[in-house]
Amino acid sequence: MSFRTTASVDYVEDVSPGTGALPPRAWYATSDADSLSLNGSWRFRLSPTADTEDDSFAAEGYDAGDWAQVSVPGHWVLQGDGDFGSPIYTNHLYPFPVDPPRVPTGNPTGDHLRIFDLPDGWPGDGGSVLRFDGVESCARVWLNGTDIGEFKGSRLPHEFAVGQLLKPRGNVLAVRVHQWSAGSYLEDQDQWWLPGIFRDVTLLHRPAGGVLDFFVHAAYDHRSGEGSLRVDSDVDGRVSVPALDIDVATGESVTVPVLPWTAETPRLYDGVLTTEGERVPLRIGFRTVVLEDGLIKVNGTAVLFKGVNRHEWHPTKGRALDLETMRQDVLLMKRHNINAVRTSHYPPHPAFLDLCDEYGLWVIDECDLETHGFTEQGWRDNPVDDERWTPALLDRAARMVERDKNHPSVVIWSLGNEAGTGRGLTAMSEWIRDRDGDRLIHYEGDFNCRDTDMYSRMYLKHLEVERIGLGLDGGGRRRRQLPFILCEYGHAMGNGPGGLADYQRLFESHDRVQGGFIWEWIDHGIEDERYGFAYGGDFGEELHDGNFVCDGLVFPDRTPSPGLVEYKKVIEPVRIEGDGADGTVRVTNAHDFTDFSALAFEWSYQVDGETVEAGALSVPPLLPGESADLKLPAPPADGRGAETGWTVSAVLASDTAWAPRGHQVAWAQLPVSAKAPGPGVQSAQPVPGVRQITLGPAVFDARTGALTTIGGVDVTGPRLDVWRAPTDNDEGAAWQPDARFGLLWRKLGLHRMQHRLDAVELADDALTVRSRVAPAAREVGLRTVYRWTSDGTRLRLTVSVAPEGDWKVPLPRLGIRLGLPASADRVRWFGGGPGESYPDTRTASVVGRWESSVDAMQTPYVRPQENGARPDVRWAEIGGLRVEGDPSFWFTARRWTTEQLDAAAHLTDLEEGDTVWVNLDHGQQGIGSQSCGPATQPQYQLRVEPAEFSFVFSEIQH
């Protein structure tokens, strides 16, 4: 056998999908046929170009003893301690010159070698298939020296018939993987570019008469309660479903009473497809998806998607996910009331869809297609409108549909994402409709809905969503008759997203608006000892989009962010409202399909944030959409003038597959009475001295009027503070310039405010300090008056703020900042918690008594930014000091200044100092979603206007 001395690599820039692969077919995890996993340690050689090395490495007997090793599944750039290159992150820009289908000469190419033996007893009838479930971005494959083909389509399976090439011992599998190929132009999907064999490699025995392709058609008639089953198979056989007494030939239909599959009730029936040579287990879910009355309906009911977009990600393995990581994702979603996933922007590992079938999630399965970078040239030369590329597009559509068509969780096919429009997309849509008429088709870029069954947009403002719900959005007649979904909204980058509750109210108010999908599930930070988690630019990329890759509801280690906690509350499937003072509560079932039989309801009664009584609440098993008005028990007597209220919760009544008994599904707090106002703080007289002024328990600097101690507690400040370290949403997206608040704040100079002392005044009952707070080079300012009074043991500060000049932007925050000694570690407070909240992210805030360390109050966003505020704080205790609000305030404590937080690019940049900095805020600017979506809504913006607020300080006596 001879080998070329120079490698032919014309296939790399060929727009065709490849050669040699078998036609796509249904994926199934197991059967009674033999299989052999080829995952594990492979020999590896990296070359700088596609043709650096010849093909001799594929020959039997080649000595690769000096080669490195990599793990398969895996990405080589995430292995080898940097010796194998680095990840590259771009949002939509191609990291190479746009000259389709050409790619750079510098094309990292990884040669992979695996030598394997067949297991003893491997059948020798010659029928075997080699399957690759995912390789980025182009691969050529040899087995025992024979070139068996090449392929593109990174997130799609490819199979090759290899039975005639196998031998019992010493099989040599050689795979050459190129980072860049013509296929890269179709895979510009806002993610790390990560070459490698990142999904499973498996050898499958194909017995004579074994299963080839099959299609399970399992529909449900909600009127009769019957399911109809037909399994079409390329090879004749029989289908049995013991629980339903079904035993029929393939191709034959049968109708029987069944329990339907939904995301809320994922009922699966175990079956078997048996052909002459193979038995394949089936998991059958009966459900029917239709477009009816202008709505997406499943089993006769319009569904409301409470979804997320999900890239596949692991902080050390990239997209090489294992089953337990995938299961962790699904369980977290279910426990946070999420009911739907859009597989952005490619089909996931097929095992993930098995989990969606099992636990219950609606799935929009999206094709491995995005050409977003062509926006830079007005979509000129876009492959989806170039007929030369249509075979590749159709191949990708077919490999998705054929692989995943037997999953009941998949209710919608998506043609891809941000690929413009064109003939190729129309061809994909027509092919899918012809192959599978039982699902609907999605594509966001098709604004005229020529090829789709729904109108889909991303990142619309709330008012635009409302106009669509009211049918005032215009568009053609077909579009106006279709349902609407937000396939992406609520950009979860850094602190946020804000405004989710307002979106949800719109979704629930307009039938046509059938929900949406948060962007996105997980931060794509790469674990890195230098930074904690690295993002774009941290690997020296020439072109990158920074931390835009970290925009998830969970952190890279899958810890839920405050945004996920907020989303859980916003989309909870039980609505609890009422009048706490009257002791009445209305409970509404917001599920689409299930009653309340799986839930138990509980009440508790709080006095000044502490639970004093609790019990069970009897709620009937309401059907979806039904409500019941209930009476709470008589509250205990309280003669202390305390703040009181009810908490009503819905919890799981018993263990489920996704959460244990007692897991909280929904809750609400119903206030009863506010705390009676306490006595005023004003009796002690200021006592002047040469260097200091004493007022009750406090000492002030006589020259500046600055507070220095309260009792035995040293204090730095306080003074007016209007700055926060801008969040990713404050910074905004470059393509949305209308309200990039972070940019406007810096331009105005709010990050460098100067404090001018105008007067220190003593009166019989108060110490007054007058100042002006303003940025250099600007005429705007804030006239600020600090008025201190005391009753001898407590110290009251009233801050009056009067704006001067023409303020054109809101403030980040308005309050005071003070410093405490580093020993101030523990914090207790009565107010909102346990996590952070801001004006438009506070739905999940629970009013109660909480305790934390200062460190634990920080939210570890991958890029440091404003975080950690607790809302509605009545009082807080820290470092021996008690602070009371009038009536409440926003509370933040951290071991670094806001300026240090602002300057940090990674968490590892933050170093603890000798001061704990505390912010006591009268107001906070909301968060919004403008890192990609709309800015903070007007009602959550902190307008510049006259304000007065007060705090009462006292030393905690032990």
Side-chain angles (χ1 to χ4, degrees):
M1 182 176 297
S2 63
F3 285 84
R4 295 182 296 273
T5 56
T6 58
S8 174
V9 293
D10 292 345
Y11 62 90
V12 172
E13 296 180 335
D14 191 331
V15 299
S16 73
T19 59
L22 295 169
R25 64 188 180 112
W27 189 93
Y28 50 93
T30 62
S31 80
D32 64 351
D34 290 288
S35 67
L36 175 64
S37 173
L38 297 178
N39 295 345
S41 180
W42 289 50
R43 289 290 185 177
F44 177 76
R45 176 182 64 188
L46 183 63
S47 302
T49 69
D51 59 356
T52 299
E53 303 286 349
D54 62 25
D55 301 348
S56 60
F57 81 104
E60 297 179 79
Y62 181 86
D63 184 5
D66 60 345
W67 286 23
Q69 292 186 327
V70 293
S71 293
V72 172
H75 305 278
W76 70 67
V77 294
L78 296 181
Q79 304 181 58
D81 296 325
D83 293 338
F84 304 148
S86 300
I88 300 170
Y89 167 61
T90 60
N91 167 27
H92 76 280
L93 298 175
Y94 290 103
F96 47 80
V98 178
D99 183 23
R102 304 298 303 277
V103 296
T105 299
N107 187 357
T109 295
D111 289 335
H112 299 68
L113 274 177
R114 176 78 151 86
I115 299 176
F116 65 94
D117 299 333
L118 295 178
D120 293 341
W122 186 270
D125 57 9
S128 290
V129 165
L130 179 63
R131 184 176 69 204
F132 296 88
D133 282 318
V135 182
E136 183 175 330
S137 71
C138 173
R140 191 168 198 95
V141 185
W142 295 262
L143 180 61
N144 291 330
T146 297
D147 183 347
I148 61 174
E150 48 84 15
F151 61 91
K152 307 177 189 76
S154 297
R155 268 68 68 173
L156 296 162
H158 294 82
E159 294 183 330
F160 297 88
V162 296
Q164 73 281 7
L165 300 175
L166 291 171
K167 57 185 182 179
R169 299 286 182 267
N171 292 282
V172 178
L173 176 58
V175 185
R176 173 162 285 169
V177 180
H178 307 282
Q179 175 155 21
W180 310 120
S181 70
S184 300
Y185 284 99
L186 305 180
E187 296 172 4
D188 187 25
Q189 294 144 324
D190 184 12
Q191 61 182 338
W192 294 98
W193 299 88
L194 299 173
I197 306 172
F198 68 94
R199 287 185 184 161
D200 305 291
V201 181
T202 311
L203 183 68
L204 304 167
H205 177 241
R206 308 309 306 135
V211 173
L212 295 177
D213 190 26
F214 64 94
F215 198 162
V216 177
H217 301 272
Y220 179 72
D221 187 334
H222 63 280
R223 293 171 293 269
S224 67
E226 292 181 316
S228 61
L229 175 66
R230 185 186 80 250
V231 178
D232 295 331
S233 175
D234 286 357
V235 176
D236 291 342
R238 298 194 67 80
V239 177
S240 61
V241 187
L244 298 175
D245 292 328
I246 291 176
D247 186 354
V248 296
T250 54
E252 293 184 7
S253 298
V254 61
T255 300
V256 295
V258 298
L259 296 174
W261 189 98
T262 73
E264 296 171 8
T265 57
R267 181 65 166 90
L268 294 172
Y269 290 91
D270 290 325
V272 179
L273 167 62
T274 303
T275 65
E276 179 183 356
E278 189 175 10
R279 290 169 52 88
V280 175
L282 305 177
R283 304 208 78 191
I284 302 168
F286 291 87
R287 57 105 187 96
T288 296
V289 185
V290 297
L291 179 64
E292 183 179 84
D293 303 323
L295 299 173
I296 301 167
K297 292 185 178 181
V298 180
N299 302 339
T301 297
V303 297
L304 184 61
F305 295 112
K306 304 170 182 179
V308 293
N309 287 274
R310 175 186 175 271
H311 268 297
E312 294 184 303
W313 188 250
H314 187 282
T316 61
K317 301 175 184 177
R319 286 186 288 278
L321 296 191
D322 59 276
L323 179 62
E324 287 312 305
T325 299
M326 291 184 268
R327 190 186 309 276
Q328 186 179 357
D329 280 346
V330 171
L331 293 178
L332 276 171
M333 290 175 189
K334 294 291 291 186
R335 291 168 185 170
H336 287 85
N337 294 328
I338 290 165
N339 71 359
V341 177
R342 175 178 173 228
T343 68
S344 54
H345 296 294
Y346 43 81
H349 191 292
F352 180 77
L353 298 179
D354 287 339
L355 295 169
C356 293
D357 295 342
E358 178 182 353
Y359 292 101
L361 288 168
W362 307 117
V363 174
I364 297 181
D365 198 357
E366 192 151 87
C367 195
D368 190 10
L369 173 62
E370 181 167 337
T371 63
H372 199 174
F374 284 90
T375 57
E376 297 298 305
Q377 53 202 61
W379 295 108
R380 186 177 65 257
D381 298 328
N382 185 13
V384 304
D385 199 28
D386 183 337
E387 62 184 13
R388 294 176 301 165
W389 294 80
T390 299
L393 302 185
L394 290 173
D395 179 75
R396 288 171 184 246
R399 290 187 182 279
M400 172 183 70
V401 170
E402 301 295 8
R403 191 196 77 167
D404 297 342
K405 60 182 178 284
N406 295 324
H407 289 282
S409 58
V410 177
V411 292
I412 296 170
W413 301 116
S414 180
L415 302 180
N417 183 69
E418 293 177 315
T421 57
R423 292 165 287 177
L425 288 168
T426 299
M428 293 169 68
S429 176
E430 292 174 348
W431 184 92
I432 292 173
R433 289 189 195 284
D434 183 64
R435 179 59 173 145
D436 179 18
D438 295 332
R439 291 181 176 91
L440 305 182
I441 294 178
H442 166 271
Y443 177 67
E444 181 269 340
D446 183 12
F447 293 166
N448 294 322
C449 302
R450 178 183 65 180
D451 300 320
T452 61
D453 297 306
M454 60 206 70
Y455 179 32
S456 175
R457 296 289 299 278
M458 51 176 70
Y459 305 115
L460 293 189
K461 296 180 180 179
H462 296 78
L463 289 177
E464 293 179 80
V465 174
E466 185 168 30
R467 286 181 58 82
I468 291 171
L470 293 170
L472 303 176
D473 57 302
R477 181 172 180 271
R478 170 172 168 76
R479 191 179 89 180
R480 294 197 306 272
Q481 295 176 332
L482 293 178
F484 173 77
I485 64 168
L486 273 173
C487 66
E488 295 178 22
Y489 81 108
H491 197 251
M493 185 177 178
N495 188 335
L500 295 184
D502 304 286
Y503 277 117
Q504 194 64 25
R505 280 190 286 271
L506 293 171
F507 298 164
E508 295 178 3
S509 298
H510 303 288
D511 290 344
R512 183 191 182 193
V513 181
Q514 292 194 251
F517 297 77
I518 297 293
W519 186 269
E520 65 154 304
W521 175 242
I522 188 169
D523 285 345
H524 299 192
I526 295 176
E527 190 173 301
D528 189 292
E529 63 181 11
R530 300 168 298 169
Y531 307 122
F533 292 108
Y535 49 76
D538 288 337
F539 299 99
E541 302 102 300
E542 176 186 30
L543 192 68
H544 65 86
D545 285 287
N547 69 312
F548 200 72
V549 76
C550 295
D551 45 14
L553 290 171
V554 298
F555 297 128
D557 62 0
R558 286 179 163 73
T559 300
S561 76
L564 181 57
V565 177
E566 173 80 355
Y567 193 41
K568 175 187 177 181
K569 173 63 179 167
V570 164
I571 61 175
E572 60 189 11
V574 180
R575 295 287 182 238
I576 303 170
E577 306 164 299
D579 184 338
D582 187 48
T584 58
V585 60
R586 167 165 285 194
V587 179
T588 302
N589 187 346
H591 290 96
D592 290 329
F593 296 93
T594 57
D595 63 19
F596 277 172
S597 58
L599 299 177
F601 289 79
E602 303 169 344
W603 62 265
S604 59
Y605 190 76
Q606 286 78 40
V607 175
D608 281 343
E610 292 188 306
T611 297
V612 296
E613 287 192 20
L617 182 66
S618 179
V619 177
L622 302 173
L623 295 175
E626 291 185 341
S627 300
D629 294 315
L630 308 168
K631 190 72 176 176
L632 294 166
D638 173 57
R640 299 182 295 153
E643 179 177 348
T644 59
W646 302 94
T647 299
V648 178
S649 300
V651 302
L652 291 180
S654 57
D655 292 345
T656 70
W658 50 270
R661 178 179 180 270
H663 167 79
Q664 188 180 68
V665 174
W667 59 272
Q669 289 190 301
L670 310 175
V672 175
S673 63
K675 187 177 183 68
V681 180
Q682 189 169 333
S683 61
Q685 292 185 344
V687 179
V690 175
R691 296 181 179 275
Q692 61 187 36
I693 300 169
T694 302
L695 177 60
V699 176
F700 298 81
D701 183 284
R703 184 180 62 85
T704 64
L707 177 68
T708 58
T709 62
I710 300 177
V713 180
D714 293 332
V715 179
T716 303
R719 65 180 188 175
L720 191 75
D721 192 13
V722 298
W723 179 241
R724 75 183 187 195
T727 67
D728 290 314
N729 289 301
D730 291 336
E731 299 287 17
W735 57 88
Q736 300 190 74
D738 57 322
R740 295 181 64 190
F741 291 117
L743 183 67
L744 297 173
W745 292 336
R746 290 187 197 277
K747 184 176 180 180
L748 185 59
L750 297 188
H751 61 307
R752 48 176 176 80
M753 300 290 274
Q754 298 184 16
H755 296 251
R756 187 184 73 202
L757 177 63
D758 288 343
V760 177
E761 301 172 350
L762 291 178
D764 290 342
D765 60 351
L767 165 64
T768 301
V769 180
R770 301 183 186 277
S771 70
R772 187 175 190 269
V773 183
R778 304 293 177 183
E779 64 174 354
V780 298
L782 300 169
R783 286 279 181 184
T784 306
V785 178
Y786 307 90
R787 187 173 188 273
W788 298 94
T789 59
S790 175
D791 62 4
T793 58
R794 297 180 299 158
L795 183 69
R796 182 183 184 90
L797 169 62
T798 299
V799 182
S800 301
V801 180
E804 295 180 338
D806 184 14
W807 287 82
K808 298 183 182 299
V809 296
L811 293 174
R813 65 169 4 116
L814 180 64
I816 61 171
R817 177 166 61 173
L818 58 90
L820 297 174
S823 58
D825 178 61
R826 300 301 303 176
V827 185
R828 296 179 63 245
W829 75 97
F830 173 26
E836 72 180 26
S837 294
Y838 291 82
D840 55 352
T841 66
R842 63 193 299 176
T843 308
S845 179
V846 181
V847 174
R849 293 201 186 197
W850 307 102
E851 184 171 355
S852 173
S853 67
V854 169
D855 292 342
M857 294 188 74
Q858 314 311 305
T859 303
Y861 295 114
V862 174
R863 185 191 74 81
Q865 55 198 271
E866 166 62 33
N867 72 91
R870 269 57 176 184
D872 305 313
V873 175
R874 282 71 162 160
W875 56 258
E877 294 178 347
I878 177 173
L881 191 66
R882 180 181 175 94
V883 185
E884 298 175 63
D886 185 16
S888 64
F889 56 95
W890 300 82
F891 177 82
T892 310
R894 53 176 67 104
R895 296 188 181 278
W896 33 79
T897 66
T898 299
E899 291 74 19
Q900 291 168 329
L901 184 64
D902 185 19
H906 297 88
L907 291 172
T908 50
D909 295 333
L910 293 169
E911 297 182 2
E912 297 181 4
D914 56 4
T915 303
V916 171
W917 294 99
V918 176
N919 278 90
L920 311 174
D921 290 318
H922 172 65
Q924 276 270 0
Q925 167 89 348
I927 297 297
S929 180
Q930 209 192 9
S931 52
C932 193
T936 306
Q937 296 178 87
Q939 65 266 36
Y940 302 119
Q941 294 177 16
L942 185 56
R943 298 299 182 185
V944 183
E945 56 191 12
E948 185 172 282
F949 48 94
S950 299
F951 306 98
V952 176
F953 301 89
S954 58
E955 184 183 7
I956 300 171
Q957 301 297 326
H958 296 287

